[in-house]
Amino acid sequence: MMETRLGCCFLMIFFSEWICLFSLTSILGGTKAEVRCIPRCQLPRVAAAPRERTNLERADFDAAPGEEFDVFGEEPFSASGEEELAAAELTASEESSFEVQPRLAENETSGPQRHGDHRKLSHPPPSASSASGPFPNNASGERDTRLNLTGDGDAFALRARRSAETWSEFRGGGLEDTSVSDQEEFELTSSTFPLAGDTAHNQAMVHWSGQNSSVILMLTKYYDFNSGRVTESSLWRSTDYGTTYEKLNEKVGTRSILSYLYVSPNNKRKIMLLTDPEVESSLLISLDEGASYQKHSLGFDILSLLFHPEQEDWILAYSHDQKLYVSIEFGRRWQLVHNNVVPNRFYWSRLGLDKDQGMIHLEITVSDGRSQYITCKLQNCSDGNKGKPFPGFIIPNSLVVQDEYVFIQVSVSGQAVHYVSYKRNAFYPMKLPKYTLPKDLQIISTDENQVVAAIQDWNQNDSYNLYMSDYRGLFFTLMLEDVVSTGGPEDNVMIDLYEVAGIKGVFLSNKVVENQVKTYITYNKGRDWRLLQAPTTDLQGNKVYCEQPYCSLHLHLHVSENPYASGNIVSKDTAPGVIIASGVVGPELSSVNVSIFITTDAGNTWREVFQEEYSVFFLNQGGSLVAIRHTPLPIRHIWLSFDEGRNWDKYSFTSSPLYVDGVLGEPGEDILIMTIFGHFSHRSEWQLLKIDFRPIFGRRCTSEDYITWQLDNEGEVCIMGMKRIFQKLRANVRCVKARDQYISQMSDSCPCTEADFECDYGFERQVDGSCTSAFWFVPSTSTRDCVTGDSFFNTTGYRKALSNNCTEGSLLKYSPRQQKCPSQAPRGLQLFTSEGTFVATLGRNVTFLVFLEEGLGSMTSITVDFGDGTAISYVNISSIDDGVKHIYNKVGIYQVSATAINHLGFDRVFLYLHVSCQLEQVQLSAPLVVIKNKAVNFTTTLRPNSVGTVTYFWWLDNKTEPLVTLDGEISFTFSKEGSHTVTVQALAGNTVHQDQISVAVYDYFRSHPLVFSSNLDDMNPGVSEWREDIGRVVKTCIVQVTGISEDQLLVTVLAGLPTTAEVFIVPERRSRNGAMNEKWAHLDQLSQVLLRALNQDLIEFTVKPGLQVNVYATRLSPAPLVDSSDSGHSGTAVIMLVSVVLMGLAIFMIYKFKRKIPGMNTYTTEQPDKEQEVIPAVTSIAVPNPEGDELTSLDHVDVQLDSKSRGYLPSHTDIKLSDEAPHVF
C-alpha cells in the first residue's frame, strides 16, 4: 500500500474518481491532446514498473462504477479502465486548440501505461512544483499519476506538424474512419453541454466521484504563461452524470481565483479548493460533494499535499519554505510539524508496522550535504519525541518508506552504501553481487514481500539491470540485464518494464541485445524470458513471415520522452489475459509504422487490430472494448468490440464532427458512462459530450454467459507452481457484469520442478540452466544467528521464488538442506561510523556501527576499544543494532578497534578516527621587513591552539600555486626586493580559515624594538585592526618629531601583552644605487635621531581624552606573540627596570672610557628634572663590508636637541655623514 502524494504534477489518480487536466492549442485546423505518464514528482521514479494492486483492489469494497480518462495525441494508443481515479488537465494556447503533455506520473493510469511503485534512491533532487504552483494530489495508500503541462507555443506547433505527418503515413490518409467506413453505423445515446463564458480558459480539472454518485466537478481556469499564474477561474458542478452543469462562482466568491482542486481519497464528498496565493492564501472546503463551501485562511503557501491512507481528515502539507504542516480537521486548522524537511521525503505511518498510527517518517536537512531520518508523532515533534531509526546521517534525498521496507543511503569512504530495514527493524547493507557497483539504484516494486530494483552499473549508460531480493530485501540476484532506460523530466528515469495486470508473475521488458531493442516476456517473475511471437497474419489477412530470434513482435512499454513516439500499453485485472499495446514486427523495436496489437491469452499469441493510432478503453469491467481514433480532424464515430477485439462495430456519438481533446470515463470498473471533451471549432467554447452505453447492455450477466480460460506458457500450464483457470464473458454477449463475477479464478498447485527455483545469492545461472557459485562468493556453512545445537537450512545454490506456490516434490537438490549449526569462529567483522567518515568533533557523540557477516551472533561477544583508554563490551552483536556511542574529550587521531570473540576464535577490525574541534582563527606572524636572500621564518598561531590534524596551504613570493604542509611553521627566502604578500590557509576538518600579511624585502635596514607605557595595555582588544591603527599613529608621531621621511619608516605592533612594537628604517628609493658606506651611514644617523627622540620622551600620542601613551626604545627582544601570563603590567615593569640598570651601566662605562673610543661622541641635553640619558645601542642587520672585515665609525654628528622646545628635531637632510662604515652591533 502506497500513499498518493499531491502537488507535483498535473495528472494524478484518485481512488475512485478522475481529476482531468486538459491543454488546448491550435493544430493545423484540428485538435490534438497528448498524454504521457511518467514518474511522479514525489520521488524520482521509474516510469514503467510492475503493477501493484491497490488497497481497494485488495479489499472487497462494493463500490459503484468508477471512471476513466484519456487525452489524445502524443501516443498512438492509450487505454483506461483502471479502477483507480485519475486526474488530468486540458491546457490551451491562444489559438484555442488542444494539447496535453505529461509531467510526472507514478500510479496506475487510465492510459495504456501502467506505473507501479517507483522510489528512487539516487541523488537527483525531486521536483515539488511546476510553473503554476502546487498540484492537486491524492493519497489513498495508492501510487498517484500526474501530468505535466508545457506552455511553449512553438513546441506545440512542432508537435502538431509532426503528428500530422505521422498520421498521414497510416492507411486512411487522414480521412475519418476510411478503413471501415463501409460498415453499418449505429447510434449512441449522448448529450452535449457547452461551458459558456469560458472560451479563454486554457486549463480544466475534472473530478468525478463515482461510488453511486452522479456528481461531477470541473474547475476551468486561464493560466497566463507570461506571468506564471492563474488570472481567471470558474467552478462547474453536475448532478446528473454530466448531462448539465451549474456554475458555482457565486458560491465560492466572485473575487476568488481558484488554482487547484483536491479530494479526500477516503471520502469523496470532501472537496478542497485552493485559491491563488498571489491574490489570497486560503482554502475552500466542502463536505457535501461541492454543493456548499466554507473559506479558511492559510498562513503558508501549499506546495504539495499528502492524505492519510485511512484517516479521511488527516493531511500533511508541504510549503515553499521547506516546512511541513499537519491538519487533522481536513484543512480547517494547521500545525507546524518540522522545519527543513526535504521535499517529498515525508510519509505516513502504516498500521501494523509502525507503533503509532499518527507517526510521520521524515527526512530533514541538518547541514550542507547531510540529512537525517527521523520519526515524529502527529502533533508533537519536539526533540524529546523524535525517533531516530538510523543513528547516523544519510545522503540527501535518499529516504524511501514503502510497504514493509525503509531504504536509505549512507556515505562510507566517499561511496554510497544502500541500507534497508525490514518491518521497521535494524538497518543492514543491501547485499548486491560483489562487483555490482551501482551508479544509480531505483526501487521498482515491493510487492509480495520482495523488492525489485533497477541498478545502473558502473559500465552502463542507457540501460539498467533488474534485481530481485529475498523477503527481507537484503540479498539480491540478477533478474534481467540491459533493460532499456530513458531520461524523463525533472531528472527522472523511465525503465522499460511492465507488469501485466490480473496475472501475477507476468512481465514485459525491452532489452538491449547487440545494439537492438527487443521485447521479452516472463511468466515466472523474471526467472525465464523469451521473445514475443509475432502475429501469423496482418490486419488484411496476409501471412507474416517472421522467424525468431531474427524477427519477433516488439512493444512500446512506456510513454516515450519523444512526444510523437508510440508507447502505450494496457491490461486490466478484470480482463485477465488481455493486453493491448502499440508496437512493430521486425528485428527490433521501432517508432515507424506502429500498429495496435492485442493478445487474449497473456502474450502467447498476438493479433493486429489497428494500423492507425487509436485509444482503447475497457467497458463493462473489461467485458467490452471502446476505440477512438487519433486524428487532427474532427470525428463523429467510435468503435466497440464485444469479442476481445476480433470484430469492431461503428457507432456515431455526435451529429456534428467534434475535435476530441480527451475522454473521461466513469470511475470504477463498470465504465458504462463516458464524457468526451472537445470543441466544434478553433474558437468555440469547450463541449462536454456525455455518452451513455447502458442501453447497449440490456441485462445482467448470468453464469451461462461465461466460459473458462486456462493460463499457459507455450503449452505449459504450471506457472509459478500453480494451474490457473479464469472466467471470461462469451464473445458477443451484451450483458452487464456483476462486481462479484468479474474475476472468478480457480487454481491448483503443481509439484515443484527445476523451473520453480531461481539462483540464490552468490550463485549464477549457467548455459545448461544450473546455478553454480560465482568466483567471488564463498558459500557459508551457517548463518549469523545460528546457535550451536540448533539446525538451519543451508542453500544449495537455489531458492524458490517467493510468490511460487508449488508443492514440495522429490527435487531435493534444489531445496535448502537442513543442517546442524556448526561451531564457527566470527568472520567478516565490519566497523565504521554512522556518518561514513573518519572525522569526529570534540565533545560530540560519535556512533560506531558494527556488523558481523558470519559467526555465532548470539554467542559472540563484541568489544569496542575507542583508543582513548576506554572500551565497552557486549555479550552478543544483537545488542548493538543501534550503534555504539562515545564522546572524545581530547583532539587527536585514535585507533578504534572492534573485536568479535567466541570459543572458536576471534575477528578484529581497526578504524583510525581523527577527532578535532572547530577551528576559529589562524594568525600568521613574521617580521614586517626582511633582508633579501636571507631565510625568514613564518609562524602560525591557532585558536584554539589544539584542533587536531591541520593542513596548511602557503602562498609565498606572489606565487599562484600553494605549498602544502602539516606544520604551522615554514622558512622561506625572498630573492627580490619589494613588497611580498604571504597567505596561509589552515584546514581542520571541514573548516578553513585564512590570514595574510605583507613583507617588505630590502638589501639592508635598521630596526628598533619599542615598548609603550603600561596604560596602553588596558586598551588593547587583541585584534589586528587595532594594532594597525596604533602602528599608523606611532609612525605619524615619529615623522612629526624627527622629520624622517614617511617612506623610510615602517611600524608594526606585535600581538599579545604587554603591547610592544618594532620600527624599521629602510633605505630611500633614490639612494638604492649609492655607495654601500653612504647607505649604512645614512641609516645609522637616522637611527641615532630616532633613539634620541625616544629617550627624551618626545614620541607620545593620545588614545582617548585624558589617556596619553609614551613610546620608549628598548634593547630587549620584542614581546612574545601570545601573552602567556595573567598580568600584562608585570612584563612592562621588568623591562623598564632592566632598561634603567643597563642605562646606568652604560653611563658609567662611557664616562670612564669615552676618550679611548674613536669616533664616539655623546651628546646630552640638560634637563633640570631628570638625569642625563645616553643613546642606547642600535639593533641592526649588517651587510659585510666589501673592503674587508674591519669596521669604521661615523664622524661627529653635531645635532643638538632643544630641551626647551620639546618635540623638535632638525630635518635629517641637514645631517652630514662621514665616509666611514657604520658600527655593527
Side-chain angles (χ1 to χ4, degrees):
M1 180 180 67
M2 289 307 304
E3 300 152 337
T4 303
R5 201 172 286 269
L6 309 182
C8 287
C9 311
F10 281 101
L11 175 62
M12 72 292 299
I13 287 182
F14 283 176
F15 214 9
S16 60
E17 89 280 1
W18 287 91
I19 286 196
C20 313
L21 174 64
F22 300 97
S23 251
L24 303 162
T25 194
S26 289
I27 302 183
L28 296 179
T31 63
K32 176 187 175 187
E34 297 188 1
V35 170
R36 199 160 52 87
C37 302
I38 56 179
R40 67 169 181 166
C41 293
Q42 174 202 353
L43 296 173
R45 296 286 179 204
V46 182
R51 183 184 188 283
E52 176 180 288
R53 294 185 64 191
T54 68
N55 199 34
L56 275 182
E57 290 173 304
R58 297 189 184 106
D60 189 17
F61 290 111
D62 187 18
E67 70 176 299
E68 299 196 1
F69 164 74
D70 181 46
V71 182
F72 287 11
E74 177 182 358
E75 305 302 334
F77 156 78
S78 71
S80 63
E82 305 294 341
E83 70 245 31
E84 293 90 323
L85 313 176
E89 274 197 308
L90 268 181
T91 34
S93 72
E94 294 178 356
E95 298 181 354
S96 294
S97 87
F98 302 43
E99 173 160 358
V100 170
Q101 268 206 141
R103 185 179 185 83
L104 292 173
E106 189 239 273
N107 210 349
E108 300 176 338
T109 72
S110 64
Q113 180 61 44
R114 167 63 182 88
H115 303 289
D117 276 332
H118 302 290
R119 303 281 177 151
K120 185 173 180 180
L121 298 184
S122 60
H123 291 50
S127 172
S129 62
S130 76
S132 57
F135 298 93
N137 309 357
N138 187 19
S140 58
E142 300 303 314
R143 305 157 190 79
D144 54 278
T145 306
R146 301 182 183 154
L147 194 69
N148 173 35
L149 169 66
T150 300
D152 187 343
D154 294 335
F156 287 166
L158 175 61
R159 280 191 280 272
R161 291 191 294 272
R162 172 65 179 274
S163 300
E165 294 168 2
T166 303
W167 285 317
S168 67
E169 295 173 0
F170 292 112
R171 185 168 50 83
L175 297 177
E176 202 250 319
D177 303 334
T178 56
S179 60
V180 282
S181 59
D182 55 343
Q183 293 189 7
E184 181 182 1
E185 179 179 317
F186 303 93
E187 290 188 4
L188 291 169
T189 302
S190 65
S191 61
T192 303
F193 184 87
L195 295 183
D198 289 351
T199 304
H201 289 191
N202 55 10
Q203 291 184 353
M205 301 178 65
V206 181
H207 161 65
W208 193 344
S209 295
Q211 297 183 354
N212 293 324
S213 173
S214 60
V215 174
I216 301 176
L217 285 175
M218 173 175 283
L219 172 63
T220 66
K221 50 190 177 178
Y222 175 73
Y223 180 80
D224 188 341
F225 291 98
N226 294 323
S227 64
R229 55 184 292 263
V230 177
T231 58
E232 296 179 16
S233 67
S234 296
L235 183 64
W236 300 83
R237 184 172 186 261
S238 172
T239 58
D240 52 10
Y241 289 99
T243 303
T244 60
Y245 288 83
E246 176 189 4
K247 199 169 188 177
L248 302 182
N249 284 24
E250 296 291 338
K251 291 186 177 181
V252 300
T254 55
R255 296 185 178 181
S256 296
I257 298 179
L258 305 178
S259 297
Y260 298 97
L261 183 151
Y262 302 84
V263 182
S264 171
N266 302 299
N267 186 347
K268 306 308 175 190
R269 296 181 60 83
K270 294 187 175 182
I271 311 294
M272 181 184 297
L273 295 169
L274 179 65
T275 62
D276 186 356
E278 295 290 335
V279 179
E280 60 174 337
S281 186
S282 62
L283 289 175
L284 293 168
I285 296 175
S286 173
L287 305 179
D288 52 8
E289 213 165 359
S292 61
Y293 293 89
Q294 293 179 343
K295 182 177 287 189
H296 299 270
S297 297
L298 278 176
F300 60 96
D301 293 339
I302 292 178
L303 185 62
S304 63
L305 292 180
L306 180 64
F307 286 88
H308 194 278
E310 288 119 19
Q311 298 292 331
E312 61 186 52
D313 291 336
W314 292 11
I315 311 172
L316 292 176
Y318 188 75
S319 67
H320 289 79
D321 53 357
Q322 296 189 333
K323 293 181 180 180
L324 186 67
Y325 296 85
V326 64
S327 174
I328 60 174
E329 302 177 51
F330 198 71
R332 296 178 188 86
R333 279 187 289 271
W334 296 90
Q335 178 179 335
L336 178 65
V337 176
H338 208 285
N339 296 315
N340 301 320
V341 178
V342 178
N344 298 305
R345 302 294 176 172
F346 46 91
Y347 309 85
W348 284 109
S349 60
R350 179 172 173 180
L351 193 62
L353 290 173
D354 296 289
K355 297 178 181 178
D356 189 350
Q357 188 182 27
M359 182 179 292
I360 307 169
H361 299 265
L362 302 170
E363 179 183 334
I364 61 172
T365 302
V366 293
S367 62
D368 292 339
R370 295 194 300 182
S371 292
Q372 196 167 36
Y373 168 33
I374 67 171
T375 57
C376 281
K377 292 186 177 179
L378 182 63
Q379 292 181 295
N380 189 0
C381 199
S382 60
D383 291 337
N385 288 301
K386 291 179 185 177
K388 294 183 180 179
F390 185 77
F393 296 105
I394 66 175
I395 295 177
N397 292 306
S398 67
L399 173 65
V400 175
V401 181
Q402 187 164 312
D403 296 329
E404 290 86 0
Y405 306 92
V406 179
F407 304 92
I408 59 172
Q409 292 183 46
V410 177
S411 177
V412 178
S413 301
Q415 298 292 326
V417 178
H418 300 268
Y419 281 78
V420 62
S421 166
Y422 177 63
K423 290 189 174 180
R424 309 303 190 258
N425 293 317
F427 282 90
Y428 291 97
M430 295 166 61
K431 301 290 290 186
L432 302 171
K434 187 172 183 179
Y435 295 105
T436 299
L437 306 176
K439 295 191 297 185
D440 185 27
L441 187 150
Q442 312 221 11
I443 298 301
I444 299 277
S445 170
T446 54
D447 292 348
E448 300 176 328
N449 286 332
Q450 187 173 41
V451 179
V452 177
I455 295 176
Q456 188 172 61
D457 214 341
W458 60 274
N459 57 350
Q460 293 177 309
N461 293 317
D462 299 322
S463 63
Y464 280 67
N465 296 336
L466 297 179
Y467 293 84
M468 51 187 173
S469 75
D470 62 347
Y471 71 96
R472 295 175 297 174
L474 280 178
F475 295 94
F476 286 80
T477 57
L478 184 63
M479 180 177 175
L480 184 65
E481 290 184 297
D482 297 321
V483 177
V484 174
S485 68
T486 54
E490 308 295 339
D491 295 325
N492 290 278
V493 175
M494 294 180 287
I495 305 296
D496 275 20
L497 178 68
Y498 179 81
E499 182 180 4
V500 176
I503 306 177
K504 292 295 184 183
V506 181
F507 289 82
L508 292 161
S509 185
N510 285 329
K511 177 182 177 180
V512 180
V513 180
E514 296 180 351
N515 297 322
Q516 291 183 325
V517 177
K518 299 176 180 290
T519 302
Y520 288 78
I521 189 170
T522 178
Y523 290 85
N524 50 14
K525 205 172 184 179
R527 183 199 182 279
D528 302 293
W529 296 83
R530 65 173 174 84
L531 294 168
L532 294 179
Q533 185 66 48
T536 56
T537 60
D538 62 14
L539 189 60
Q540 290 76 31
N542 302 317
K543 184 175 179 59
V544 175
Y545 297 93
C546 185
E547 182 179 351
Q548 294 185 6
Y550 310 104
C551 175
S552 59
L553 174 63
H554 309 287
L555 305 177
H556 292 275
L557 302 180
H558 76 289
V559 179
S560 172
E561 185 179 5
N562 184 342
Y564 324 110
S566 306
N568 286 334
I569 181 171
V570 68
S571 58
K572 194 172 183 63
D573 284 329
T574 55
V578 179
I579 308 171
I580 310 170
S582 59
V584 296
V585 174
E588 63 177 330
L589 184 64
S590 171
S591 297
V592 179
N593 296 329
V594 176
S595 297
I596 306 301
F597 297 88
I598 187 171
T599 176
T600 58
D601 55 8
N604 284 285
T605 59
W606 295 81
R607 289 180 286 107
E608 186 180 27
V609 293
F610 293 108
Q611 290 179 337
E612 298 171 280
E613 296 185 85
Y614 278 82
S615 285
V616 181
F617 300 85
F618 285 99
L619 285 182
N620 190 26
Q621 302 185 47
S624 306
L625 300 176
V626 177
I628 304 178
R629 185 185 176 201
H630 285 263
T631 173
L633 302 175
I635 62 174
R636 297 177 50 249
H637 302 98
I638 61 176
W639 302 87
L640 272 70
S641 174
F642 302 96
D643 56 1
E644 296 180 330
R646 293 177 177 83
N647 297 282
W648 296 86
D649 295 329
K650 181 179 179 182
Y651 286 81
S652 64
F653 64 90
T654 176
S655 58
S656 300
L658 182 75
Y659 293 102
V660 176
D661 306 313
V663 177
L664 176 66
E666 181 183 8
E669 291 294 339
D670 292 349
I671 313 298
L672 295 175
I673 298 176
M674 281 186 175
T675 297
I676 295 181
F677 299 83
H679 59 287
F680 293 123
S681 66
H682 302 314
R683 297 291 181 182
S684 68
E685 55 220 348
W686 281 350
Q687 305 292 325
L688 306 182
L689 195 148
K690 171 189 170 183
I691 303 177
D692 192 344
F693 295 97
R694 289 177 294 186
I696 298 178
F697 305 94
R699 60 181 177 84
R700 287 281 179 178
C701 296
T702 65
S703 59
E704 288 76 16
D705 297 316
Y706 290 88
I707 59 173
T708 59
W709 167 74
Q710 185 171 20
L711 174 67
D712 71 283
N713 175 15
E714 294 185 324
E716 175 57 55
V717 296
C718 284
I719 298 175
M720 297 294 288
M722 297 179 63
K723 298 178 181 178
R724 285 179 278 184
I725 301 175
F726 299 88
Q727 285 190 340
K728 292 186 176 182
L729 275 181
R730 294 180 182 273
N732 296 312
V733 172
R734 301 189 183 187
C735 62
V736 178
K737 293 176 65 176
R739 294 187 66 82
D740 57 352
Q741 294 176 320
Y742 73 88
I743 191 167
S744 179
Q745 175 180 333
M746 297 171 288
S747 61
D748 188 19
S749 297
C750 300
C752 292
T753 65
E754 184 269 342
D756 296 309
F757 294 86
E758 60 195 21
C759 291
D760 206 346
Y761 174 77
F763 293 82
E764 297 175 338
R765 189 170 298 280
Q766 304 302 313
V767 177
D768 60 359
S770 64
C771 296
T772 59
S773 176
F775 75 94
W776 50 265
F777 182 67
V778 179
S780 174
T781 57
S782 69
T783 64
R784 194 192 72 171
D785 298 324
C786 198
V787 179
T788 303
D790 293 344
S791 60
F792 77 104
F793 288 95
N794 194 14
T795 182
T796 59
Y798 300 84
R799 69 183 184 192
K800 190 170 70 171
L802 292 177
S803 54
N804 192 296
N805 296 306
C806 68
T807 57
E808 296 296 338
S810 59
L811 300 177
L812 297 179
K813 75 171 188 175
Y814 299 116
S815 302
R817 296 170 184 169
Q818 187 172 5
Q819 297 178 356
K820 291 290 185 181
C821 290
S823 299
Q824 184 176 6
R827 189 179 70 174
L829 189 63
Q830 300 179 41
L831 171 68
F832 49 90
T833 65
S834 60
E835 297 185 29
T837 65
F838 301 102
V839 178
T841 302
L842 183 70
R844 295 185 181 178
N845 263 321
V846 185
T847 302
F848 296 96
L849 302 180
V850 183
F851 295 99
L852 181 64
E853 290 187 355
E854 296 183 12
L856 192 58
S858 59
M859 301 296 291
T860 300
S861 65
I862 300 292
T863 300
V864 180
D865 188 335
F866 301 109
D868 60 351
T870 59
I872 188 170
S873 297
Y874 297 87
V875 294
N876 57 65
I877 195 168
S878 60
S879 305
I880 54 175
D881 286 341
D882 293 333
V884 183
K885 293 180 172 58
H886 185 65
I887 297 177
Y888 288 90
N889 297 317
K890 292 183 180 180
V891 299
I893 303 177
Y894 295 88
Q895 177 183 277
V896 184
S897 65
T899 306
I901 302 176
N902 61 26
H903 66 282
L904 291 175
F906 72 95
D907 192 12
R908 180 173 295 162
V909 63
F910 295 95
L911 180 152
Y912 293 91
L913 185 69
H914 294 247
V915 177
S916 61
C917 64
Q918 186 73 25
L919 178 63
E920 299 177 3
Q921 184 184 32
V922 60
Q923 182 177 304
L924 179 60
S925 300
L928 181 64
V929 183
V930 300
I931 196 166
K932 185 176 72 173
N933 295 325
K934 294 292 183 180
V936 59
N937 293 327
F938 294 91
T939 305
T940 58
T941 303
L942 304 179
R943 190 178 68 188
N945 56 9
S946 180
V947 295
T949 305
V950 181
T951 304
Y952 298 88
F953 301 86
W954 305 84
W955 283 268
L956 300 160
D957 203 17
N958 300 326
K959 293 182 179 179
T960 57
E961 293 298 324
L963 179 66
V964 183
T965 69
L966 295 176
D967 193 356
E969 297 184 3
I970 193 172
S971 180
F972 189 76
T973 301
F974 294 96
S975 59
K976 295 181 180 180
E977 287 189 85
S979 179
H980 297 261
T981 300
V982 178
T983 303
V984 63
Q985 286 184 347
L987 169 64
N990 295 324
T991 305
V992 178
H993 283 281
Q994 174 179 301
D995 196 13
Q996 188 178 76
I997 63 173
S998 294
V999 176
V1001 180
Y1002 293 95
D1003 283 330
Y1004 60 97
F1005 61 86
R1006 292 282 193 238
S1007 68
H1008 300 278
L1010 305 177
V1011 294
F1012 300 90
S1013 55
S1014 59
N1015 55 0
L1016 183 61
D1017 293 340
D1018 297 331
M1019 307 298 297
N1020 189 344
V1023 296
S1024 60
E1025 291 82 1
W1026 182 87
R1027 294 192 294 272
E1028 292 174 3
D1029 288 338
I1030 295 297
R1032 176 177 49 79
V1033 171
V1034 172
K1035 178 179 178 179
T1036 301
C1037 292
I1038 293 175
V1039 171
Q1040 291 176 352
V1041 172
T1042 65
I1044 300 176
S1045 173
E1046 183 178 356
D1047 294 336
Q1048 289 188 262
L1049 285 176
L1050 296 174
V1051 177
T1052 178
V1053 178
L1054 306 178
L1057 293 175
T1059 308
T1060 58
E1062 191 168 6
V1063 59
F1064 298 88
I1065 304 176
V1066 299
E1068 288 183 294
R1069 296 177 182 176
R1070 65 187 182 186
S1071 62
R1072 295 287 176 88
N1073 298 325
M1076 182 60 68
N1077 291 343
E1078 293 182 359
K1079 298 175 183 178
W1080 276 109
H1082 183 63
L1083 292 187
D1084 213 28
Q1085 189 61 53
L1086 295 181
S1087 296
Q1088 294 181 25
V1089 172
L1090 174 61
L1091 291 176
R1092 181 181 295 271
L1094 292 169
N1095 290 335
Q1096 294 184 10
D1097 293 342
L1098 300 181
I1099 310 300
E1100 59 184 7
F1101 59 91
T1102 300
V1103 178
K1104 67 178 183 178
L1107 182 61
Q1108 189 158 331
V1109 178
N1110 290 92
V1111 185
Y1112 307 102
T1114 177
R1115 294 190 63 178
L1116 299 180
S1117 300
L1121 295 179
V1122 178
D1123 181 26
S1124 58
S1125 64
D1126 294 332
S1127 173
H1129 303 291
S1130 59
T1132 305
V1134 172
I1135 291 175
M1136 295 300 296
L1137 179 61
V1138 174
S1139 299
V1140 171
V1141 173
L1142 291 177
M1143 287 182 186
L1145 181 61
I1147 292 171
F1148 173 77
M1149 296 299 295
I1150 293 173
Y1151 178 78
K1152 187 74 175 178
F1153 303 106
K1154 64 180 179 178
R1155 297 184 181 277
K1156 300 180 181 180
I1157 301 177
M1160 171 63 87
N1161 293 275
T1162 303
Y1163 295 85
T1164 64
T1165 302
E1166 296 180 0
Q1167 300 182 31
D1169 297 330
K1170 62 188 299 186
E1171 297 179 357
Q1172 291 183 340
E1173 296 178 349
V1174 297
I1175 300 177
V1178 178
T1179 302
S1180 63
I1181 297 178
V1183 176
N1185 190 344
E1187 299 294 332
D1189 295 334
E1190 294 184 1
L1191 300 176
T1192 57
S1193 63
L1194 290 168
D1195 284 343
H1196 297 288
V1197 180
D1198 297 324
V1199 178
Q1200 182 70 34
L1201 295 178
D1202 185 359
S1203 61
K1204 295 182 181 180
S1205 57
R1206 193 178 184 89
Y1208 167 78
L1209 282 178
S1211 171
H1212 69 274
T1213 55
D1214 298 330
I1215 299 176
K1216 297 181 180 179
L1217 303 178
S1218 68
D1219 294 332
E1220 298 179 355
H1223 288 286
V1224 177
F1225 295 88

